[in-house]
Amino acid sequence: MNILLVGSGGREHALAWKIAQSPLLSRLVLAPGNPGMEALGETRPVKATDVEALVALAREIAADLVVIGPESAVDAGLADALAAANIPCFGPSRAAGQLESSKAFTKAFCVRHGLPTGAYVVCDEAAAAKAALADFSPPYVIKADGLAAGKGVVIAQTRAEAEAAIDDALGGRFGAAGARVVIEEFLDGEIGSLFALCDGTHALVFGHAQDHKRAYDGEQGPNTGGMGTYAPAPLFTDDLVERVRKELAEPAFAAIAAEGHPYRGVLFVEFMATAQGPKLVEFNVRFGDPECQVLMLRLESDLVPYLMACAKGELDRLPAPVWRDESAVCVVLAAQGYPDAPVTGAAITGAEAELGADVAIFHAGTVRDEAGVLRAAGGRVLNVCARGEDLVQARTRAYEAVSRIDLPGGFHRTDIGWRALAR
């Protein structure tokens, strides 16, 4: 098979790493890819949101399948354009992608279809939003409505902090994504990430993990796109997985299809395990980043048949995926100033050394300059991942690998997996 993988971050590097292992693969083209992905396939300098050029590229390489990595490509309508060109695609339509591209849409969707989630209000004017805070108790959850690369969420401990977050969002900090804000009830419990595949009709749970959103150790600092993940997590008992499947994932697939937008691809269900059961925090219409990284390290099955089955409506023909017994950990190395104002350009050393079969370093935000030097080019720069017999061994291996990498001014959390270790 000829496969075109769209995207350039750590999630896409992890997907490329796994796809490249498939015996079904003939040719892998990565658009635009990144320096770490160059060894896995051909990179082409086509942006993930350049729909016309991506469709042309898919035709040029006679792609048997296009795999959409980032939500920006979903929102740009890439799946719709590929469908019009009769090119199989793993990734939902733009309309189905509203489950991520608009938090206001998703909250109303949950109410329409009875999916468990917290109370909320949507505002597009600061005075009304600040007045609405009276209906909520601290901590206050303030979210930009649109796509903000995982940075549009503020959990404010005080009314003043909440009002400042409202002013930030509606004042243009997140551009068009912050034209509306969603104020949500704070859900008390333990957070989890579950993934489910759908081919428009049939659904299948496809792994789970636990991540760390705050920038600093001890769940301190601003929310980020994710500073690390681990799997499996003790949170995910068989009973909880079954409840999330029955109460959130499968009802979401059925409901979005009933509204005329059958879902084809992966749905990331971020939920809070509360005393009343799992409640939706948010949906994402792609693999999590950096959750995808630990999923790919643990996935024993060939990934490609599942991607193709989603695109072709044949998911019911495949068995449940097989997962390795080992644990996996991902530690994110971030640039100084992330998430607010990351400093780019720092030269990176040690990231391309061979560190063994159980260690993988995925590039999240890197470029190679004219002299061939690897440099930081984003907020999250590298994902250092490792497998082990258990969480302790996987974590030790990951941090040993981190110690061999030099990212001047960079930082990382040192407590990935603390919830599981605390048990």
Side-chain angles (χ1 to χ4, degrees):
M1 292 173 55
N2 296 336
I3 297 177
L4 172 60
L5 173 61
V6 176
S8 62
R11 165 185 49 232
E12 289 78 31
H13 190 173
L15 289 171
W17 177 82
K18 187 63 179 174
I19 290 170
Q21 298 170 31
S22 174
L24 300 175
L25 183 70
S26 299
R27 182 181 184 187
L28 178 59
V29 178
L30 310 151
N34 66 39
M37 296 161 76
E38 291 168 351
L40 300 172
E42 310 162 43
T43 59
R44 296 288 189 93
V46 182
K47 291 182 179 178
T49 53
D50 191 342
V51 171
E52 184 177 348
L54 288 168
V55 173
L57 178 57
R59 285 190 170 121
E60 176 198 329
I61 69 167
D64 297 293
L65 176 67
V66 177
V67 179
I68 298 178
E71 65 274 20
S72 59
V74 174
D75 192 50
L78 179 55
D80 306 82
L82 290 164
N86 293 313
I87 299 171
C89 172
F90 176 86
S93 67
R94 187 174 190 273
Q98 291 178 94
L99 289 172
E100 178 170 4
S101 65
S102 173
K103 294 177 178 65
F105 172 88
T106 298
K107 282 293 192 178
F109 176 86
C110 289
V111 171
R112 286 196 301 277
H113 298 286
L115 277 65
T117 190
Y120 76 102
V121 65
V122 180
C123 299
D124 57 11
E125 197 273 327
K130 292 174 183 178
L133 293 172
D135 296 327
F136 296 85
S137 301
Y140 304 95
V141 181
I142 314 297
K143 296 183 177 181
D145 175 49
L147 298 177
K151 305 182 197 85
V153 179
V154 173
I155 300 174
Q157 300 299 321
T158 67
R159 180 84 175 247
E161 290 175 6
E163 291 185 355
I166 289 167
D167 286 335
D168 271 356
L170 294 176
R173 179 180 179 188
F174 306 110
R180 292 190 295 180
V181 296
V182 180
I183 303 171
E184 295 185 9
E185 172 191 3
F186 179 81
L187 298 175
D188 192 26
E190 192 170 346
I191 200 162
S193 304
L194 179 136
F195 300 86
L197 303 181
C198 189
D199 65 2
T201 304
H202 313 99
L204 182 68
V205 171
F206 205 74
H208 36 75
Q210 199 159 38
D211 78 337
H212 300 263
K213 288 292 187 191
R214 296 297 188 104
Y216 311 127
D217 285 8
E219 308 308 326
Q220 299 298 308
N223 260 30
T224 71
M227 292 299 295
T229 48
Y230 61 99
L235 171 70
F236 284 94
T237 62
D238 291 346
D239 177 65
L240 181 62
V241 170
E242 190 68 1
R243 288 198 64 176
V244 176
R245 178 182 73 82
K246 287 184 175 180
E247 297 173 27
L248 287 169
E250 290 185 356
F253 290 139
I256 201 73
E259 294 192 1
H261 312 298
Y263 196 100
R264 295 180 181 88
V266 62
L267 186 68
F268 170 1
V269 182
E270 186 173 61
F271 67 92
M272 190 70 73
T274 74
Q276 296 77 41
K279 293 187 178 183
L280 183 72
V281 175
E282 61 185 34
F283 287 128
N284 293 313
V285 298
R286 34 70 184 184
F287 280 109
D289 189 352
E291 289 92 344
C292 182
Q293 289 81 320
V294 293
L295 293 185
M296 293 305 105
L297 259 70
R298 294 194 64 240
L299 181 62
E300 183 71 27
S301 303
D302 186 350
L303 175 63
V304 170
Y306 291 92
L307 302 177
M308 182 58 94
C310 287
K312 292 202 162 186
E314 299 173 350
L315 198 56
D316 60 327
R317 300 183 184 182
L318 294 180
V322 176
W323 302 95
R324 299 172 69 116
D325 291 334
E326 294 103 321
S327 292
V329 168
C330 173
V331 180
V332 172
L333 301 191
Q336 179 182 351
Y338 176 76
D340 294 326
V343 177
T344 59
I348 306 163
T349 56
E352 296 178 289
E354 178 54 55
L355 297 173
D358 290 311
V359 176
I361 297 175
F362 299 122
H363 292 226
T366 66
V367 294
R368 204 178 300 280
D369 67 17
E370 293 179 357
V373 176
L374 192 67
R375 295 189 180 275
R380 293 186 294 175
V381 180
L382 295 168
N383 306 146
V384 182
C385 307
R387 281 188 299 246
E389 291 183 4
D390 54 24
L391 177 62
V392 172
Q393 187 180 64
R395 190 174 184 264
T396 299
R397 285 175 173 168
Y399 280 116
E400 283 178 351
V402 167
S403 71
R404 300 185 188 187
I405 298 170
D406 183 34
L407 172 60
F411 71 97
H412 64 277
R413 284 186 55 162
T414 66
D415 63 348
I416 302 303
W418 70 263
R419 287 186 184 89
L421 296 174
R423 295 189 182 198

